[in-house]
Amino acid sequence: MQLKDYFDGKAAEWDTLIKDEVIIRLQNMVEELALSRGSKVLDLGTGTGVLIPMLIEAVGSSGDVVAIDFAPQMLAEAQKKYQEPNLEFLEGAAEDIPLADQAVDEVVCNSAFPHFDDLRRSAKEMARVLRRGGRVTVMHPHSRDYINDLHVSLGGAVRNCLIPEEEVMFAIFSEAGFENITIKDVPQRYFLSGRKV
Ligand SMILES: C[S@@+](CC[C@H](N)C(=O)[O-])C[C@H]1O[C@@H](n2cnc3c(N)ncnc32)[C@H](O)[C@@H]1O
C-alpha cells in the first residue's frame, strides 16, 4: 500500500490514537520553540492538524500558519476542526512544497519527517521556503529508538520510515543549507533544530 493511502485510511481515527500525555508533551515542545508573535509558520505534514491550535496560539492573530500534507483525507479532518482567518491549508508533498522561496519564518515538522519519501530533497525544500535566518524544527514526542521500533513493528507502509542516525541527520540538514544544527534525542522527545544560512 502507498503511504498516502495508508494515512488517508487512518485519517478518521487518527485523533483517537493520540494520547493526552502526548498532546501535553507537544504543547510543551511548541511552547519551548518560543515562536515570535506575527511570524509565519509552516506545519509540514500537518496530518489532522494536531499542532495547529498550538501554533495559532503562539503566533497570534498577526501571524500565519500554513498547514501542508499530501494526504487529502488527513487534511480534510484538519479542515473540519480549524477554520481561522490566518490559517491556510495546502495539499502538497514535502519534496515539492507548494510555496514560494523564502515564504515563511519557521518550518515545524512533527512526527512526519521519516515518512517523507526523499529526506534530502524534503530538507532542501524546507530551506528553500524559509527566509534567511529562519528556523527548521523536526520533532517527535518520542525518542528516535521509540519511533523507529514502532514503525518496524507496525510494518507495511511505514516499515521503512526510520529517523536516520544523528550524523546522517546532521549531513542531510547541513547539505540542505542549515547551520547551528542541534539534535536532542532523549526519552519522550526527539528534536532537531537548524537555521537557514
Ligand atoms: C504520523 S503523521 C503526523 C501528522 C501530524 N504532524 C501529527 O503530529 O499528528 C505523518 C503525516 O505526514 C504526511 N506525509 C507523509 N509523507 C508526506 C510527504 N511526502 N509530503 C507531505 N506529507 C506527507 C502524512 O500524510 C501524515 O499526515
Side-chain angles (χ1 to χ4, degrees):
M1 185 196 281
Q2 296 279 319
L3 200 60
K4 194 189 281 195
D5 297 334
Y6 172 84
F7 282 111
D8 273 338
K10 293 262 174 216
E13 62 165 341
W14 188 261
D15 288 353
T16 67
L17 302 173
I18 304 175
K19 295 190 178 134
D20 288 349
E21 65 177 86
V22 168
I23 297 286
I24 291 167
R25 235 180 272 166
L26 290 173
Q27 281 167 337
N28 290 335
M29 291 166 87
V30 171
E31 225 170 275
E32 284 170 39
L33 289 179
L35 298 168
S36 301
R37 291 189 89 68
S39 58
K40 183 163 183 170
V41 181
L42 165 59
D43 180 10
L44 188 59
T46 189
T48 59
V50 172
L51 282 196
I52 287 176
M54 306 171 201
L55 298 175
I56 291 272
E57 190 184 336
V59 301
S61 56
S62 59
D64 292 286
V65 173
V66 186
I68 293 180
D69 203 285
F70 79 163
Q73 296 306 320
M74 293 293 266
L75 267 187
E77 291 297 324
Q79 272 170 310
K80 268 192 232 166
K81 292 184 291 182
Y82 307 113
Q83 299 104 24
E84 309 291 333
N86 57 343
L87 169 63
E88 184 182 12
F89 289 101
L90 294 172
E91 188 178 325
E95 294 83 357
D96 191 13
I97 299 175
L99 290 176
D101 295 357
Q102 306 199 37
V104 298
D105 303 301
E106 303 264 358
V107 174
V108 179
C109 183
N110 180 57
S111 301
F113 187 72
H115 296 296
F116 299 157
D117 193 38
D118 186 333
L119 301 185
R120 283 184 165 75
R121 188 161 159 191
S122 307
K124 283 186 182 141
E125 277 291 276
M126 295 183 209
R128 181 185 65 75
V129 301
L130 271 169
R131 66 161 169 82
R132 284 193 174 187
R135 176 174 55 173
V136 65
T137 304
V138 170
M139 59 188 228
H140 296 263
H142 300 282
S143 67
R144 170 177 176 259
D145 280 350
Y146 180 100
I147 294 294
N148 288 354
D149 289 349
L150 174 71
H151 289 167
V152 169
S153 70
L154 288 171
V158 298
R159 190 189 56 223
N160 295 317
C161 298
L162 305 177
I163 304 172
E165 58 194 37
E166 194 169 302
E167 61 188 52
V168 177
M169 287 294 273
F170 270 110
I172 289 173
F173 280 87
S174 61
E175 281 161 24
F178 291 98
E179 61 183 7
N180 300 330
I181 298 164
T182 58
I183 295 176
K184 186 171 185 180
D185 180 17
V186 294
Q188 308 196 341
R189 171 177 300 211
Y190 181 92
F191 212 96
L192 176 147
S193 165
R195 291 270 171 196
K196 181 178 171 180
V197 178

mmCIF file of all heavy atoms in Angstrom, residues 76-125:
data_model
loop_
_atom_site.group_PDB
_atom_site.id
_atom_site.type_symbol
_atom_site.label_atom_id
_atom_site.label_comp_id
_atom_site.label_asym_id
_atom_site.label_seq_id
_atom_site.Cartn_x
_atom_site.Cartn_y
_atom_site.Cartn_z
ATOM 1 N N ALA A 76 -8.465 16.943 5.229
ATOM 2 C CA ALA A 76 -9.911 17.186 5.378
ATOM 3 C C ALA A 76 -10.315 17.136 6.849
ATOM 4 O O ALA A 76 -11.136 17.940 7.308
ATOM 5 C CB ALA A 76 -10.708 16.163 4.565
ATOM 6 N N GLU A 77 -9.715 16.204 7.598
ATOM 7 C CA GLU A 77 -10.018 16.121 9.040
ATOM 8 C C GLU A 77 -9.553 17.395 9.744
ATOM 9 O O GLU A 77 -10.246 17.925 10.612
ATOM 10 C CB GLU A 77 -9.322 14.903 9.669
ATOM 11 C CG GLU A 77 -9.881 13.565 9.230
ATOM 12 C CD GLU A 77 -11.343 13.348 9.634
ATOM 13 O OE1 GLU A 77 -11.758 13.798 10.727
ATOM 14 O OE2 GLU A 77 -12.079 12.727 8.842
ATOM 15 N N ALA A 78 -8.393 17.884 9.374
ATOM 16 C CA ALA A 78 -7.878 19.116 9.992
ATOM 17 C C ALA A 78 -8.786 20.295 9.643
ATOM 18 O O ALA A 78 -9.117 21.126 10.501
ATOM 19 C CB ALA A 78 -6.451 19.378 9.507
ATOM 20 N N GLN A 79 -9.208 20.343 8.386
ATOM 21 C CA GLN A 79 -10.057 21.463 7.930
ATOM 22 C C GLN A 79 -11.412 21.484 8.619
ATOM 23 O O GLN A 79 -11.979 22.539 8.838
ATOM 24 C CB GLN A 79 -10.243 21.386 6.414
ATOM 25 C CG GLN A 79 -9.136 22.106 5.679
ATOM 26 C CD GLN A 79 -9.149 21.844 4.198
ATOM 27 O OE1 GLN A 79 -9.209 20.686 3.769
ATOM 28 N NE2 GLN A 79 -9.071 22.890 3.403
ATOM 29 N N LYS A 80 -11.918 20.288 8.973
ATOM 30 C CA LYS A 80 -13.203 20.207 9.686
ATOM 31 C C LYS A 80 -13.090 20.904 11.035
ATOM 32 O O LYS A 80 -14.013 21.496 11.529
ATOM 33 C CB LYS A 80 -13.551 18.735 9.955
ATOM 34 C CG LYS A 80 -14.384 18.073 8.894
ATOM 35 C CD LYS A 80 -14.893 16.738 9.463
ATOM 36 C CE LYS A 80 -14.573 15.615 8.505
ATOM 37 N NZ LYS A 80 -14.729 14.283 9.090
ATOM 38 N N LYS A 81 -11.905 20.776 11.660
ATOM 39 C CA LYS A 81 -11.742 21.261 13.036
ATOM 40 C C LYS A 81 -11.336 22.725 13.111
ATOM 41 O O LYS A 81 -11.677 23.407 14.065
ATOM 42 C CB LYS A 81 -10.662 20.430 13.760
ATOM 43 C CG LYS A 81 -11.064 18.998 14.005
ATOM 44 C CD LYS A 81 -10.000 18.260 14.808
ATOM 45 C CE LYS A 81 -8.733 18.048 14.027
ATOM 46 N NZ LYS A 81 -7.703 17.311 14.737
ATOM 47 N N TYR A 82 -10.555 23.168 12.145
ATOM 48 C CA TYR A 82 -9.962 24.500 12.272
ATOM 49 C C TYR A 82 -10.233 25.350 11.039
ATOM 50 O O TYR A 82 -9.873 24.961 9.936
ATOM 51 C CB TYR A 82 -8.442 24.394 12.479
ATOM 52 C CG TYR A 82 -8.073 23.477 13.623
ATOM 53 C CD1 TYR A 82 -7.414 22.282 13.388
ATOM 54 C CD2 TYR A 82 -8.434 23.795 14.931
ATOM 55 C CE1 TYR A 82 -7.103 21.415 14.432
ATOM 56 C CE2 TYR A 82 -8.128 22.945 15.974
ATOM 57 C CZ TYR A 82 -7.465 21.761 15.718
ATOM 58 O OH TYR A 82 -7.160 20.908 16.732
ATOM 59 N N GLN A 83 -10.874 26.482 11.274
ATOM 60 C CA GLN A 83 -11.016 27.494 10.216
ATOM 61 C C GLN A 83 -10.706 28.838 10.859
ATOM 62 O O GLN A 83 -11.527 29.355 11.600
ATOM 63 C CB GLN A 83 -12.445 27.542 9.650
ATOM 64 C CG GLN A 83 -12.928 26.258 9.010
ATOM 65 C CD GLN A 83 -13.892 25.492 9.876
ATOM 66 O OE1 GLN A 83 -14.546 26.058 10.741
ATOM 67 N NE2 GLN A 83 -13.984 24.205 9.643
ATOM 68 N N GLU A 84 -9.517 29.311 10.632
ATOM 69 C CA GLU A 84 -9.105 30.608 11.169
ATOM 70 C C GLU A 84 -8.707 31.486 9.985
ATOM 71 O O GLU A 84 -8.209 30.973 8.982
ATOM 72 C CB GLU A 84 -7.865 30.449 12.080
ATOM 73 C CG GLU A 84 -7.970 29.394 13.150
ATOM 74 C CD GLU A 84 -8.970 29.747 14.243
ATOM 75 O OE1 GLU A 84 -9.196 30.951 14.464
ATOM 76 O OE2 GLU A 84 -9.531 28.825 14.848
ATOM 77 N N PRO A 85 -8.879 32.798 10.124
ATOM 78 C CA PRO A 85 -8.519 33.672 9.001
ATOM 79 C C PRO A 85 -7.024 33.636 8.668
ATOM 80 O O PRO A 85 -6.641 33.888 7.527
ATOM 81 C CB PRO A 85 -8.935 35.074 9.479
ATOM 82 C CG PRO A 85 -9.236 34.956 10.926
ATOM 83 C CD PRO A 85 -9.482 33.522 11.248
ATOM 84 N N ASN A 86 -6.221 33.298 9.655
ATOM 85 C CA ASN A 86 -4.766 33.291 9.412
ATOM 86 C C ASN A 86 -4.211 31.869 9.269
ATOM 87 O O ASN A 86 -3.047 31.617 9.563
ATOM 88 C CB ASN A 86 -4.032 34.040 10.530
ATOM 89 C CG ASN A 86 -4.331 33.461 11.909
ATOM 90 O OD1 ASN A 86 -5.297 32.730 12.078
ATOM 91 N ND2 ASN A 86 -3.495 33.786 12.873
ATOM 92 N N LEU A 87 -5.093 30.969 8.845
ATOM 93 C CA LEU A 87 -4.687 29.563 8.639
ATOM 94 C C LEU A 87 -5.009 29.152 7.207
ATOM 95 O O LEU A 87 -6.137 29.307 6.742
ATOM 96 C CB LEU A 87 -5.465 28.670 9.620
ATOM 97 C CG LEU A 87 -5.393 27.162 9.403
ATOM 98 C CD1 LEU A 87 -3.963 26.644 9.565
ATOM 99 C CD2 LEU A 87 -6.318 26.439 10.403
ATOM 100 N N GLU A 88 -3.986 28.612 6.533
ATOM 101 C CA GLU A 88 -4.180 28.175 5.150
ATOM 102 C C GLU A 88 -3.817 26.694 5.040
ATOM 103 O O GLU A 88 -2.795 26.266 5.585
ATOM 104 C CB GLU A 88 -3.260 29.006 4.239
ATOM 105 C CG GLU A 88 -3.423 28.719 2.772
ATOM 106 C CD GLU A 88 -2.442 29.535 1.903
ATOM 107 O OE1 GLU A 88 -1.505 30.142 2.463
ATOM 108 O OE2 GLU A 88 -2.603 29.522 0.696
ATOM 109 N N PHE A 89 -4.658 25.931 4.351
ATOM 110 C CA PHE A 89 -4.368 24.515 4.100
ATOM 111 C C PHE A 89 -3.953 24.335 2.651
ATOM 112 O O PHE A 89 -4.592 24.873 1.746
ATOM 113 C CB PHE A 89 -5.622 23.664 4.342
ATOM 114 C CG PHE A 89 -6.007 23.557 5.792
ATOM 115 C CD1 PHE A 89 -7.041 24.332 6.307
ATOM 116 C CD2 PHE A 89 -5.349 22.681 6.646
ATOM 117 C CE1 PHE A 89 -7.409 24.240 7.641
ATOM 118 C CE2 PHE A 89 -5.709 22.586 7.985
ATOM 119 C CZ PHE A 89 -6.739 23.361 8.485
ATOM 120 N N LEU A 90 -2.915 23.552 2.444
ATOM 121 C CA LEU A 90 -2.489 23.256 1.081
ATOM 122 C C LEU A 90 -2.172 21.776 0.969
ATOM 123 O O LEU A 90 -1.517 21.208 1.860
ATOM 124 C CB LEU A 90 -1.228 24.053 0.724
ATOM 125 C CG LEU A 90 -1.355 25.581 0.635
ATOM 126 C CD1 LEU A 90 0.024 26.217 0.467
ATOM 127 C CD2 LEU A 90 -2.261 25.968 -0.522
ATOM 128 N N GLU A 91 -2.653 21.180 -0.098
ATOM 129 C CA GLU A 91 -2.299 19.780 -0.358
ATOM 130 C C GLU A 91 -1.003 19.779 -1.163
ATOM 131 O O GLU A 91 -0.923 20.458 -2.191
ATOM 132 C CB GLU A 91 -3.432 19.115 -1.147
ATOM 133 C CG GLU A 91 -3.244 17.625 -1.288
ATOM 134 C CD GLU A 91 -4.414 16.990 -2.035
ATOM 135 O OE1 GLU A 91 -5.573 17.438 -1.887
ATOM 136 O OE2 GLU A 91 -4.140 16.035 -2.791
ATOM 137 N N GLY A 92 -0.009 19.065 -0.662
ATOM 138 C CA GLY A 92 1.249 19.041 -1.398
ATOM 139 C C GLY A 92 2.261 18.165 -0.702
ATOM 140 O O GLY A 92 2.091 17.790 0.458
ATOM 141 N N ALA A 93 3.313 17.860 -1.439
ATOM 142 C CA ALA A 93 4.343 16.957 -0.927
ATOM 143 C C ALA A 93 5.518 17.739 -0.344
ATOM 144 O O ALA A 93 5.858 18.826 -0.827
ATOM 145 C CB ALA A 93 4.836 16.057 -2.047
ATOM 146 N N ALA A 94 6.137 17.156 0.661
ATOM 147 C CA ALA A 94 7.304 17.769 1.292
ATOM 148 C C ALA A 94 8.461 17.894 0.297
ATOM 149 O O ALA A 94 9.324 18.760 0.443
ATOM 150 C CB ALA A 94 7.738 16.921 2.488
ATOM 151 N N GLU A 95 8.459 17.022 -0.700
ATOM 152 C CA GLU A 95 9.548 17.043 -1.684
ATOM 153 C C GLU A 95 9.337 18.127 -2.736
ATOM 154 O O GLU A 95 10.200 18.356 -3.584
ATOM 155 C CB GLU A 95 9.644 15.675 -2.398
ATOM 156 C CG GLU A 95 10.065 14.534 -1.504
ATOM 157 C CD GLU A 95 8.906 13.926 -0.700
ATOM 158 O OE1 GLU A 95 7.763 14.428 -0.797
ATOM 159 O OE2 GLU A 95 9.159 12.946 0.034
ATOM 160 N N ASP A 96 8.172 18.757 -2.711
ATOM 161 C CA ASP A 96 7.854 19.788 -3.704
ATOM 162 C C ASP A 96 6.858 20.748 -3.051
ATOM 163 O O ASP A 96 5.693 20.825 -3.452
ATOM 164 C CB ASP A 96 7.250 19.099 -4.945
ATOM 165 C CG ASP A 96 7.140 20.036 -6.110
ATOM 166 O OD1 ASP A 96 7.734 21.120 -6.063
ATOM 167 O OD2 ASP A 96 6.430 19.675 -7.074
ATOM 168 N N ILE A 97 7.316 21.465 -2.052
ATOM 169 C CA ILE A 97 6.428 22.273 -1.206
ATOM 170 C C ILE A 97 5.783 23.384 -2.041
ATOM 171 O O ILE A 97 6.495 24.149 -2.715
ATOM 172 C CB ILE A 97 7.216 22.875 -0.009
ATOM 173 C CG1 ILE A 97 7.786 21.737 0.865
ATOM 174 C CG2 ILE A 97 6.307 23.770 0.838
ATOM 175 C CD1 ILE A 97 8.681 22.208 2.014
ATOM 176 N N PRO A 98 4.452 23.463 -1.997
ATOM 177 C CA PRO A 98 3.764 24.448 -2.855
ATOM 178 C C PRO A 98 3.797 25.866 -2.272
ATOM 179 O O PRO A 98 2.753 26.482 -2.049
ATOM 180 C CB PRO A 98 2.329 23.888 -2.933
ATOM 181 C CG PRO A 98 2.151 23.145 -1.654
ATOM 182 C CD PRO A 98 3.499 22.594 -1.287
ATOM 183 N N LEU A 99 5.003 26.377 -2.023
ATOM 184 C CA LEU A 99 5.182 27.736 -1.516
ATOM 185 C C LEU A 99 6.353 28.374 -2.273
ATOM 186 O O LEU A 99 7.258 27.669 -2.750
ATOM 187 C CB LEU A 99 5.522 27.732 -0.018
ATOM 188 C CG LEU A 99 4.426 27.321 0.976
ATOM 189 C CD1 LEU A 99 4.980 27.294 2.395
ATOM 190 C CD2 LEU A 99 3.224 28.259 0.896
ATOM 191 N N ALA A 100 6.326 29.711 -2.304
ATOM 192 C CA ALA A 100 7.415 30.447 -2.965
ATOM 193 C C ALA A 100 8.693 30.374 -2.125
ATOM 194 O O ALA A 100 8.651 30.032 -0.935
ATOM 195 C CB ALA A 100 6.991 31.901 -3.136
ATOM 196 N N ASP A 101 9.794 30.727 -2.713
ATOM 197 C CA ASP A 101 11.066 30.815 -1.985
ATOM 198 C C ASP A 101 10.912 31.810 -0.829
ATOM 199 O O ASP A 101 10.268 32.852 -0.986
ATOM 200 C CB ASP A 101 12.188 31.349 -2.902
ATOM 201 C CG ASP A 101 12.493 30.397 -4.052
ATOM 202 O OD1 ASP A 101 11.881 29.311 -4.109
ATOM 203 O OD2 ASP A 101 13.318 30.771 -4.898
ATOM 204 N N GLN A 102 11.533 31.499 0.283
ATOM 205 C CA GLN A 102 11.593 32.404 1.449
ATOM 206 C C GLN A 102 10.218 32.897 1.900
ATOM 207 O O GLN A 102 10.064 34.047 2.286
ATOM 208 C CB GLN A 102 12.490 33.604 1.131
ATOM 209 C CG GLN A 102 13.855 33.160 0.648
ATOM 210 C CD GLN A 102 14.909 34.250 0.767
ATOM 211 O OE1 GLN A 102 14.921 35.018 1.700
ATOM 212 N NE2 GLN A 102 15.804 34.287 -0.197
ATOM 213 N N ALA A 103 9.227 32.011 1.841
ATOM 214 C CA ALA A 103 7.847 32.413 2.153
ATOM 215 C C ALA A 103 7.543 32.398 3.647
ATOM 216 O O ALA A 103 6.570 33.019 4.079
ATOM 217 C CB ALA A 103 6.870 31.481 1.430
ATOM 218 N N VAL A 104 8.336 31.664 4.452
ATOM 219 C CA VAL A 104 7.978 31.503 5.867
ATOM 220 C C VAL A 104 9.174 31.779 6.790
ATOM 221 O O VAL A 104 10.331 31.745 6.371
ATOM 222 C CB VAL A 104 7.417 30.074 6.160
ATOM 223 C CG1 VAL A 104 6.141 29.814 5.368
ATOM 224 C CG2 VAL A 104 8.438 28.991 5.883
ATOM 225 N N ASP A 105 8.843 32.025 8.062
ATOM 226 C CA ASP A 105 9.873 32.270 9.079
ATOM 227 C C ASP A 105 10.288 30.990 9.795
ATOM 228 O O ASP A 105 11.387 30.909 10.343
ATOM 229 C CB ASP A 105 9.326 33.233 10.155
ATOM 230 C CG ASP A 105 8.853 34.544 9.564
ATOM 231 O OD1 ASP A 105 9.686 35.226 8.943
ATOM 232 O OD2 ASP A 105 7.663 34.877 9.700
ATOM 233 N N GLU A 106 9.369 30.048 9.848
ATOM 234 C CA GLU A 106 9.600 28.809 10.611
ATOM 235 C C GLU A 106 9.008 27.625 9.841
ATOM 236 O O GLU A 106 7.903 27.737 9.292
ATOM 237 C CB GLU A 106 8.854 28.841 11.964
ATOM 238 C CG GLU A 106 9.183 30.004 12.866
ATOM 239 C CD GLU A 106 10.259 29.668 13.906
ATOM 240 O OE1 GLU A 106 10.724 28.503 13.953
ATOM 241 O OE2 GLU A 106 10.614 30.585 14.666
ATOM 242 N N VAL A 107 9.714 26.512 9.865
ATOM 243 C CA VAL A 107 9.125 25.240 9.424
ATOM 244 C C VAL A 107 9.102 24.313 10.628
ATOM 245 O O VAL A 107 10.145 24.094 11.257
ATOM 246 C CB VAL A 107 9.931 24.576 8.287
ATOM 247 C CG1 VAL A 107 9.352 23.197 7.968
ATOM 248 C CG2 VAL A 107 9.930 25.434 7.037
ATOM 249 N N VAL A 108 7.927 23.819 10.964
ATOM 250 C CA VAL A 108 7.795 22.853 12.052
ATOM 251 C C VAL A 108 7.251 21.563 11.447
ATOM 252 O O VAL A 108 6.265 21.577 10.704
ATOM 253 C CB VAL A 108 6.840 23.372 13.157
ATOM 254 C CG1 VAL A 108 6.709 22.340 14.271
ATOM 255 C CG2 VAL A 108 7.336 24.698 13.720
ATOM 256 N N CYS A 109 7.920 20.471 11.756
ATOM 257 C CA CYS A 109 7.560 19.195 11.142
ATOM 258 C C CYS A 109 7.488 18.160 12.253
ATOM 259 O O CYS A 109 8.522 17.699 12.743
ATOM 260 C CB CYS A 109 8.656 18.872 10.126
ATOM 261 S SG CYS A 109 8.368 17.384 9.204
ATOM 262 N N ASN A 110 6.267 17.865 12.691
ATOM 263 C CA ASN A 110 6.114 16.946 13.820
ATOM 264 C C ASN A 110 5.689 15.558 13.364
ATOM 265 O O ASN A 110 4.681 15.409 12.645
ATOM 266 C CB ASN A 110 5.060 17.479 14.804
ATOM 267 C CG ASN A 110 4.885 16.528 15.975
ATOM 268 O OD1 ASN A 110 5.855 16.223 16.672
ATOM 269 N ND2 ASN A 110 3.689 16.020 16.173
ATOM 270 N N SER A 111 6.436 14.566 13.789
ATOM 271 C CA SER A 111 6.080 13.161 13.549
ATOM 272 C C SER A 111 5.846 12.870 12.072
ATOM 273 O O SER A 111 5.006 12.036 11.728
ATOM 274 C CB SER A 111 4.810 12.783 14.336
ATOM 275 O OG SER A 111 5.015 12.987 15.713
ATOM 276 N N ALA A 112 6.557 13.561 11.215
ATOM 277 C CA ALA A 112 6.330 13.372 9.779
ATOM 278 C C ALA A 112 7.620 13.132 8.987
ATOM 279 O O ALA A 112 7.581 12.411 7.979
ATOM 280 C CB ALA A 112 5.599 14.596 9.215
ATOM 281 N N PHE A 113 8.741 13.692 9.427
ATOM 282 C CA PHE A 113 9.950 13.656 8.585
ATOM 283 C C PHE A 113 10.331 12.252 8.092
ATOM 284 O O PHE A 113 10.592 12.071 6.896
ATOM 285 C CB PHE A 113 11.124 14.322 9.316
ATOM 286 C CG PHE A 113 12.343 14.463 8.471
ATOM 287 C CD1 PHE A 113 12.393 15.383 7.435
ATOM 288 C CD2 PHE A 113 13.449 13.653 8.678
ATOM 289 C CE1 PHE A 113 13.515 15.502 6.618
ATOM 290 C CE2 PHE A 113 14.577 13.769 7.877
ATOM 291 C CZ PHE A 113 14.610 14.690 6.851
ATOM 292 N N PRO A 114 10.359 11.234 8.980
ATOM 293 C CA PRO A 114 10.799 9.922 8.478
ATOM 294 C C PRO A 114 9.843 9.304 7.452
ATOM 295 O O PRO A 114 10.205 8.345 6.759
ATOM 296 C CB PRO A 114 10.888 9.050 9.745
ATOM 297 C CG PRO A 114 10.064 9.746 10.764
ATOM 298 C CD PRO A 114 10.108 11.218 10.428
ATOM 299 N N HIS A 115 8.635 9.876 7.351
ATOM 300 C CA HIS A 115 7.691 9.354 6.355
ATOM 301 C C HIS A 115 7.948 9.916 4.961
ATOM 302 O O HIS A 115 7.451 9.369 3.980
ATOM 303 C CB HIS A 115 6.247 9.695 6.766
ATOM 304 C CG HIS A 115 5.838 9.026 8.039
ATOM 305 N ND1 HIS A 115 5.753 7.662 8.159
ATOM 306 C CD2 HIS A 115 5.512 9.528 9.245
ATOM 307 C CE1 HIS A 115 5.386 7.359 9.392
ATOM 308 N NE2 HIS A 115 5.236 8.469 10.072
ATOM 309 N N PHE A 116 8.688 11.018 4.897
ATOM 310 C CA PHE A 116 8.886 11.621 3.587
ATOM 311 C C PHE A 116 9.703 10.670 2.718
ATOM 312 O O PHE A 116 10.664 10.048 3.173
ATOM 313 C CB PHE A 116 9.569 12.987 3.702
ATOM 314 C CG PHE A 116 8.774 14.000 4.511
ATOM 315 C CD1 PHE A 116 9.403 15.079 5.113
ATOM 316 C CD2 PHE A 116 7.400 13.873 4.656
ATOM 317 C CE1 PHE A 116 8.671 16.006 5.845
ATOM 318 C CE2 PHE A 116 6.657 14.797 5.393
ATOM 319 C CZ PHE A 116 7.298 15.861 5.992
ATOM 320 N N ASP A 117 9.306 10.620 1.479
ATOM 321 C CA ASP A 117 9.880 9.652 0.558
ATOM 322 C C ASP A 117 11.355 9.966 0.272
ATOM 323 O O ASP A 117 12.171 9.057 0.159
ATOM 324 C CB ASP A 117 9.052 9.733 -0.731
ATOM 325 C CG ASP A 117 9.340 8.580 -1.635
ATOM 326 O OD1 ASP A 117 9.524 7.467 -1.103
ATOM 327 O OD2 ASP A 117 9.425 8.788 -2.861
ATOM 328 N N ASP A 118 11.663 11.253 0.153
ATOM 329 C CA ASP A 118 13.028 11.664 -0.167
ATOM 330 C C ASP A 118 13.467 12.680 0.900
ATOM 331 O O ASP A 118 13.129 13.869 0.822
ATOM 332 C CB ASP A 118 13.047 12.280 -1.574
ATOM 333 C CG ASP A 118 14.458 12.591 -2.045
ATOM 334 O OD1 ASP A 118 15.342 12.823 -1.186
ATOM 335 O OD2 ASP A 118 14.673 12.609 -3.269
ATOM 336 N N LEU A 119 14.203 12.201 1.901
ATOM 337 C CA LEU A 119 14.540 13.039 3.055
ATOM 338 C C LEU A 119 15.427 14.221 2.657
ATOM 339 O O LEU A 119 15.230 15.347 3.132
ATOM 340 C CB LEU A 119 15.235 12.204 4.136
ATOM 341 C CG LEU A 119 14.424 11.007 4.686
ATOM 342 C CD1 LEU A 119 15.181 10.341 5.819
ATOM 343 C CD2 LEU A 119 13.047 11.457 5.152
ATOM 344 N N ARG A 120 16.391 13.968 1.773
ATOM 345 C CA ARG A 120 17.310 15.041 1.368
ATOM 346 C C ARG A 120 16.587 16.133 0.596
ATOM 347 O O ARG A 120 16.763 17.314 0.828
ATOM 348 C CB ARG A 120 18.459 14.470 0.528
ATOM 349 C CG ARG A 120 19.467 13.774 1.399
ATOM 350 C CD ARG A 120 20.690 13.268 0.655
ATOM 351 N NE ARG A 120 21.719 12.961 1.626
ATOM 352 C CZ ARG A 120 21.701 11.887 2.416
ATOM 353 N NH1 ARG A 120 20.705 11.022 2.344
ATOM 354 N NH2 ARG A 120 22.669 11.687 3.294
ATOM 355 N N ARG A 121 15.740 15.701 -0.295
ATOM 356 C CA ARG A 121 15.001 16.690 -1.100
ATOM 357 C C ARG A 121 14.029 17.480 -0.215
ATOM 358 O O ARG A 121 13.853 18.686 -0.391
ATOM 359 C CB ARG A 121 14.245 15.956 -2.210
ATOM 360 C CG ARG A 121 13.633 16.895 -3.170
ATOM 361 C CD ARG A 121 13.299 16.231 -4.473
ATOM 362 N NE ARG A 121 12.286 17.067 -5.128
ATOM 363 C CZ ARG A 121 11.613 16.721 -6.170
ATOM 364 N NH1 ARG A 121 11.801 15.539 -6.717
ATOM 365 N NH2 ARG A 121 10.720 17.526 -6.700
ATOM 366 N N SER A 122 13.401 16.811 0.752
ATOM 367 C CA SER A 122 12.471 17.498 1.659
ATOM 368 C C SER A 122 13.218 18.556 2.467
ATOM 369 O O SER A 122 12.726 19.679 2.637
ATOM 370 C CB SER A 122 11.819 16.512 2.640
ATOM 371 O OG SER A 122 11.246 15.455 1.948
ATOM 372 N N ALA A 123 14.399 18.208 2.970
ATOM 373 C CA ALA A 123 15.175 19.173 3.767
ATOM 374 C C ALA A 123 15.563 20.376 2.896
ATOM 375 O O ALA A 123 15.517 21.527 3.342
ATOM 376 C CB ALA A 123 16.410 18.497 4.351
ATOM 377 N N LYS A 124 15.913 20.112 1.633
ATOM 378 C CA LYS A 124 16.251 21.225 0.717
ATOM 379 C C LYS A 124 15.039 22.101 0.459
ATOM 380 O O LYS A 124 15.144 23.324 0.363
ATOM 381 C CB LYS A 124 16.794 20.672 -0.608
ATOM 382 C CG LYS A 124 18.217 20.212 -0.469
ATOM 383 C CD LYS A 124 18.832 19.806 -1.795
ATOM 384 C CE LYS A 124 20.254 19.323 -1.537
ATOM 385 N NZ LYS A 124 20.647 18.196 -2.316
ATOM 386 N N GLU A 125 13.879 21.469 0.341
ATOM 387 C CA GLU A 125 12.648 22.237 0.134
ATOM 388 C C GLU A 125 12.328 23.094 1.364
ATOM 389 O O GLU A 125 11.881 24.230 1.240
ATOM 390 C CB GLU A 125 11.482 21.297 -0.179
ATOM 391 C CG GLU A 125 11.417 20.895 -1.633
ATOM 392 C CD GLU A 125 11.036 22.096 -2.505
ATOM 393 O OE1 GLU A 125 9.846 22.390 -2.644
ATOM 394 O OE2 GLU A 125 11.965 22.736 -3.031
#
